[in-house]
Amino acid sequence: MKLIEDALKRGATSLSEYESKLLLAEYGIPITREGIVSTAEDAVKKAAEIGYPVVLKGSGEAISHKTEMNLISLNLKDEEDVRQAFKELTTNPKAEVKEVLVQQMIKGDRELMVGLTRDSQFGPCVMYGLGGIFTEILEDVAFRVAPLTRWDAMDMMNDIKGKKILEAFRGKPAVDREALADILLAVGQIGLDHDKVHEIDINPLKLIDGKPVAVDALVVFE
Amino acid sequence: MNDLNLDRLFNPKSIAMIGASANPSKWGFIILLNILKGDYSGKIYPVNPKEDSILGQKCYPCVADVPEAVDLVIITTPAKVVPPLIDECGQKGIPFGIVVTSDFSETGPEGAALERDVVSRAAKYGIRLVGPNSMGIFSSQTKLHAKMPPIMPLQGNISMFSQSGNLGVQMLGWGAEEGVGFEKFVSSGNEGDLSCLDYIRYFGQDKATDVIIGYLEGIDPGMELFPVAQEVSRKKPIIVFKGGRTDAGGRAAATHTGAMAGQSKIFKSVFRQAGMLEVKTSQALLDCARAFANCPLPKGNRIGIITRGGGWGVITVDACEENGLKIPQLPDKIIRKLDKHLPKYWSRGNPIDLVATIAHDPYLDCLEVLAEWEGVDAVIALGAGRRTPQYPYSKDVKGPQPLLDAIKMASEYFDQRRKKPDWMLEGIGRLVKRTGKPIIVVAIGPETLHRSNLYEFQVVSYPTPERAVRVLWQMCKYRRFLDSQQ
């Protein structure tokens, strides 16, 4: 795939968030509406295309821990907000930000996580679990060796302690398990298709009307 | 899956034992004695240049002098002389060997180099090796007790591999105490050549094996545990006890996924995906093996419970629901059938509470109604498997004469009941056969009780409801796996 070849050619150790999601999208995984811009003017244009509210994120190879580096501006409601956020991001003393990712803002009611790791024993393994900060706190995750069958994917959803996260609650619909299974299968397929892809994080995977959408993603090479 | 035939390893027609010894403190003596005591059906040739005969067996100076073909060689000599001995065995055309000798890769780089030497020499001649650092093997067909401890396992349909010799033979010992029999056993040692994967594969195609159990610590990178286990699991259950489940320290990783991917978590997931049944304790390993080897598999997860006391019923229901097993309500037609056997005030629900009825007849009648009902897939029978105990009577007891007389009467009544043949357990055994559903008995009592329940009556019983429920949960999990593979 050109995306991966290009990144490897320029010596990158990972794909940016934007590129990572392009790769996911190639495999049919739903991602946020988004675009890369390098001027405030384009940021405003892109935001209008996407529809408010939006998120602005500093983009680039060296940038992977965006929250810690203060490189995310959430819930920008209008042009004014976008211009202000763009200025702040591009003048951040902690990182040299030349490009900015303008992204659809998703207020998910719950956060899931899907990932891929390449195990020395079992080869590419897909991970599923609770997302956001809970990933590390609860370590409530399950793995499956790729390729997954649809049954494996369905079984995996019941293989974590927090399995109820997929059920309807507080007026929100149940998660579309078939759509989630599609994502789990697709991530396994990426691992099988691309030896160079060592690990993938989709965290968080948020929900719009029960449909999962990749909000942040990271693809790491060997 | 390639066909690796280990028949001549487990059921050899003849064995040469290099390092056989007349000294009772040597493994070369103890293992030979175990083989002879076990009444091995083939021929055994001790090899030791310093002795004429050992334990009444003619001794040969070297393996080349053994007058006929040898299927299996057992080596207990010091490590450094093993490599040339392998050459001798190769020239003799021996197909299988067990290297009991330790001081190989488990001790460091020097031992590892020696092990590689042994394995590559064996490969040159096509000898397949168990070990090194193996505690030996057991096979019920040829009554071969080629192992270190003097434990005599019962015969059965369970085959076991163990990456720990001690833990493995301990299972054989516990099994003998609890009535759980084995078909084959191998202590896989350092797995310089044959590995647990080869044993899983072989046990998978072995007609005498119905259930595979194993103790696993680790496998070398690149070994195809997942596809092999998944294929075998479709044919027979593999119950696995994984040692080293805790990951020492955190992992430095670029992603959250990488950080979560501890070996134990991946293994746990892979076991489930491959249909293997993971247990978390040594006791659960044998508990599961006992039921899988002696009970039909339930078709679903609906459990009927029958009890002699309310509390036991309550905690059994709790344990079931916590493990995802369903406790269906009794329909009217079943309640009406049960009404005939129970006092008017019975609870009319599942669990069926026999409200402190001592007599056996209503228990068995009710159990029959419950087990035959199409609404349950398995039954837990609480308090069924206990035969009348000896009354705790002592001649030294002091007290007024009427009390002593009363104790004596009770004691005689108990003795009389004890003499009756145990038709209740027989009845349960028959019911399992007729309904094709597992009926798991829970009875408080010593292991000897569970041994005789199983060994004499083919009834699977446990001392606590929690253990019975965990086993049923595993059986239902396996059923789900089988159904998913169709």
Side-chain angles (χ1 to χ4, degrees):
Chain A
M1 192 164 290
K2 196 160 180 309
L3 196 64
I4 293 172
E5 280 167 19
D6 288 352
L8 289 169
K9 249 181 235 161
R10 64 170 192 263
T13 55
S14 63
L15 294 180
S16 70
E17 175 183 341
Y18 180 65
E19 293 164 331
S20 296
K21 279 195 270 186
L22 286 181
L23 176 63
L24 299 183
E26 288 277 347
Y27 280 82
I29 297 172
I31 59 168
T32 42
R33 292 195 300 276
E34 60 191 34
I36 288 280
V37 297
S38 48
T39 65
E41 219 44 57
D42 285 347
V44 169
K45 232 187 265 169
K46 191 49 95 178
E49 250 173 69
I50 291 167
Y52 288 99
V54 295
V55 179
L56 258 60
K57 295 177 177 176
S59 179
E61 242 166 68
I63 300 168
S64 56
H65 294 279
K66 293 181 281 276
T67 310
E68 290 89 328
M69 290 167 80
N70 231 358
L71 290 175
I72 302 183
S73 283
L74 295 168
N75 207 17
L76 309 171
K77 293 193 180 67
D78 52 31
E79 196 180 318
E80 196 59 31
D81 283 357
V82 169
R83 284 184 194 281
Q84 178 67 24
F86 187 89
K87 194 173 164 195
E88 280 169 19
L89 286 175
T90 47
T91 54
N92 187 316
K94 286 185 193 163
E96 197 189 335
V97 174
K98 287 188 179 139
E99 291 184 324
V100 168
L101 182 64
V102 186
Q103 188 172 84
Q104 169 193 15
M105 168 94 192
I106 294 178
K107 282 184 193 152
D109 50 290
R110 44 200 141 165
E111 298 188 335
L112 304 173
M113 169 173 186
V114 171
L116 179 90
T117 184
R118 206 168 280 279
D119 184 72
S120 61
Q121 189 70 59
F122 303 108
C125 292
V126 176
M127 190 189 92
Y128 163 74
L130 299 182
I133 58 166
F134 293 112
T135 308
E136 277 146 300
I137 294 172
L138 299 177
E139 295 196 8
D140 193 10
V141 295
F143 291 86
R144 289 294 180 271
V145 178
L148 281 73
T149 63
R150 190 152 283 267
W151 191 84
D152 289 334
M154 290 298 186
D155 185 51
M156 199 177 184
M157 298 174 205
N158 290 324
D159 198 15
I160 63 167
K161 291 192 197 80
K163 60 186 173 191
K164 276 192 163 175
I165 189 123
L166 299 183
E167 293 172 11
F169 89 132
R170 295 195 179 173
K172 302 282 183 182
V175 174
D176 182 340
R177 286 175 192 249
E178 293 293 341
L180 182 54
D182 288 340
I183 294 174
L184 294 167
L185 263 63
V187 168
Q189 196 56 48
I190 296 175
L192 291 172
D193 289 351
H194 304 286
D195 289 348
K196 294 289 175 201
V197 171
H198 188 60
E199 286 174 354
I200 298 176
D201 263 358
I202 306 175
N203 190 12
L205 187 75
K206 287 193 181 181
L207 301 157
I208 304 177
D209 298 328
K211 302 270 186 209
V213 176
V215 171
D216 194 356
L218 175 62
V219 173
V220 175
F221 301 128
E222 212 137 16
Chain B
M1 194 154 65
N2 66 332
D3 269 12
L4 175 66
N5 193 331
L6 303 180
D7 288 350
R8 280 164 85 193
L9 164 64
F10 284 99
N11 295 317
K13 289 205 179 73
S14 59
I15 300 172
M17 180 139 185
I18 305 180
S21 171
N23 178 346
S25 74
K26 299 279 190 193
W27 291 121
F29 176 94
I30 295 165
I31 294 174
L32 182 60
L33 178 61
N34 284 338
I35 293 173
L36 295 171
K37 190 175 140 228
D39 199 21
Y40 164 56
S41 64
K43 286 186 182 151
I44 173 102
Y45 300 103
V47 174
N48 183 333
K50 291 179 199 147
E51 306 278 348
D52 292 331
S53 88
I54 295 173
L55 292 167
Q57 307 288 308
K58 181 175 159 47
C59 201
Y60 297 83
C62 69
V63 78
D65 299 325
V66 172
E68 66 167 330
V70 171
D71 282 342
L72 172 66
V73 61
I74 300 170
I75 299 175
T76 62
T77 62
K80 60 180 187 303
V81 303
V82 174
L85 288 172
I86 295 289
D87 289 333
E88 287 180 31
C89 292
Q91 281 144 20
K92 175 82 182 161
I94 302 175
F96 290 104
I98 302 171
V99 182
V100 173
T101 309
S102 56
D103 208 3
F104 284 97
S105 63
E106 79 279 10
T107 57
E110 227 171 284
L114 193 62
E115 185 169 310
R116 280 196 298 277
D117 187 16
V118 168
V119 170
S120 66
R121 285 180 200 231
K124 198 176 109 194
Y125 295 102
I127 307 176
R128 301 309 307 260
L129 289 182
V130 177
N133 194 23
S134 162
M135 281 178 77
I137 65 169
F138 159 75
S139 171
S140 84
Q141 240 177 82
T142 40
K143 292 189 277 180
L144 175 58
H145 293 258
K147 53 184 173 34
M148 287 177 171
I151 289 165
M152 292 287 143
L154 298 174
Q155 296 197 358
N157 53 355
I158 300 164
S159 288
M160 176 177 194
F161 66 90
S162 182
Q163 289 188 332
S164 153
N166 278 298
L167 196 136
V169 295
Q170 192 59 53
M171 288 292 145
L172 301 183
W174 279 358
E177 282 171 22
E178 298 180 14
V180 180
F182 288 83
E183 161 59 28
K184 292 181 176 75
F185 166 78
V186 55
S187 153
S188 64
N190 296 353
E191 301 190 354
D193 177 25
L194 290 171
S195 74
C196 55
L197 234 65
D198 297 311
Y199 304 123
I200 291 174
R201 224 181 243 142
Y202 172 68
F203 292 154
Q205 68 205 26
D206 177 32
K207 288 197 175 64
T209 299
D210 292 329
V211 177
I212 301 169
I213 72 174
Y215 173 74
L216 191 73
E217 279 177 6
I219 44 177
D220 292 335
M223 280 174 51
E224 300 208 302
L225 174 71
F226 175 67
V228 170
Q230 192 176 45
E231 187 167 339
V232 172
S233 291
R234 288 176 189 140
K235 289 189 283 188
K236 48 187 93 169
I238 307 171
I239 305 160
V240 62
F241 179 28
K242 172 83 169 63
R245 291 193 302 267
T246 49
D247 293 317
R251 287 160 46 111
T255 61
H256 294 123
T257 304
M260 293 300 114
Q263 238 224 336
S264 64
K265 284 208 185 70
I266 298 223
F267 263 104
K268 176 177 171 279
S269 290
V270 165
F271 290 150
R272 177 156 163 162
Q273 193 180 359
M276 295 169 94
L277 303 155
E278 187 187 14
V279 295
K280 296 292 175 65
T281 65
S282 49
Q283 184 185 61
L285 182 59
L286 206 59
D287 276 1
C288 271
R290 183 191 323 196
F292 276 94
N294 294 287
C295 266
L297 208 58
K299 294 203 164 53
N301 66 348
R302 301 164 305 167
I303 312 296
I305 300 168
I306 181 164
T307 178
R308 286 190 196 275
W312 284 101
V314 172
I315 63 167
T316 306
V317 169
D318 286 346
C320 282
E321 302 215 315
E322 280 163 8
N323 285 286
L325 305 179
K326 300 273 178 276
I327 311 292
Q329 287 308 303
L330 301 179
D332 283 345
K333 61 166 186 179
I334 297 298
I335 289 174
R336 277 198 299 279
K337 278 187 188 169
L338 291 167
D339 278 342
K340 288 180 203 150
H341 306 291
L342 287 167
K344 268 191 226 131
Y345 50 86
W346 83 280
S347 62
R348 292 179 171 76
N350 181 15
I352 299 168
D353 188 349
L354 279 113
V355 274
T357 314
I358 289 183
H360 288 337
D361 309 61
Y363 193 109
L364 201 54
D365 291 337
C366 292
L367 181 60
E368 195 171 337
V369 172
L370 183 60
E372 283 180 342
W373 173 39
E374 68 280 2
V376 294
D377 304 304
V379 173
I380 298 176
L382 298 161
R386 175 115 205 231
R387 264 145 318 142
T388 311
Q390 204 158 14
Y391 191 82
Y393 167 69
S394 156
K395 288 200 169 60
D396 303 330
V397 71
K398 289 185 180 61
Q401 197 55 44
L403 175 66
L404 297 180
D405 289 346
I407 291 173
K408 193 153 177 284
M409 266 170 65
S411 175
E412 280 165 7
Y413 171 72
F414 271 59
D415 282 348
Q416 219 173 5
R417 274 182 66 114
R418 275 155 52 79
K419 280 180 195 146
K420 286 186 189 167
D422 210 328
W423 58 268
M424 181 138 160
L425 283 161
E426 284 171 14
I428 293 174
R430 276 197 306 273
L431 206 50
V432 170
K433 281 206 184 73
R434 199 169 73 220
T435 58
K437 296 176 188 177
I439 299 176
I440 310 282
V441 163
V442 175
I444 298 161
E447 292 301 354
T448 48
L449 169 78
H450 302 287
R451 180 188 206 278
S452 68
N453 283 350
L454 184 58
Y455 213 57
E456 292 167 33
F457 301 100
Q458 291 79 53
V459 168
V460 171
S461 70
Y462 301 96
T464 69
E466 292 86 351
R467 283 168 67 182
V469 168
R470 281 307 271 184
V471 164
L472 269 176
W473 169 72
Q474 294 277 17
M475 294 183 105
C476 290
K477 233 171 47 172
Y478 186 55
R479 165 60 68 188
R480 267 191 71 228
F481 169 77
L482 289 181
D483 290 347
S484 80
Q485 298 296 305
Q486 280 167 7

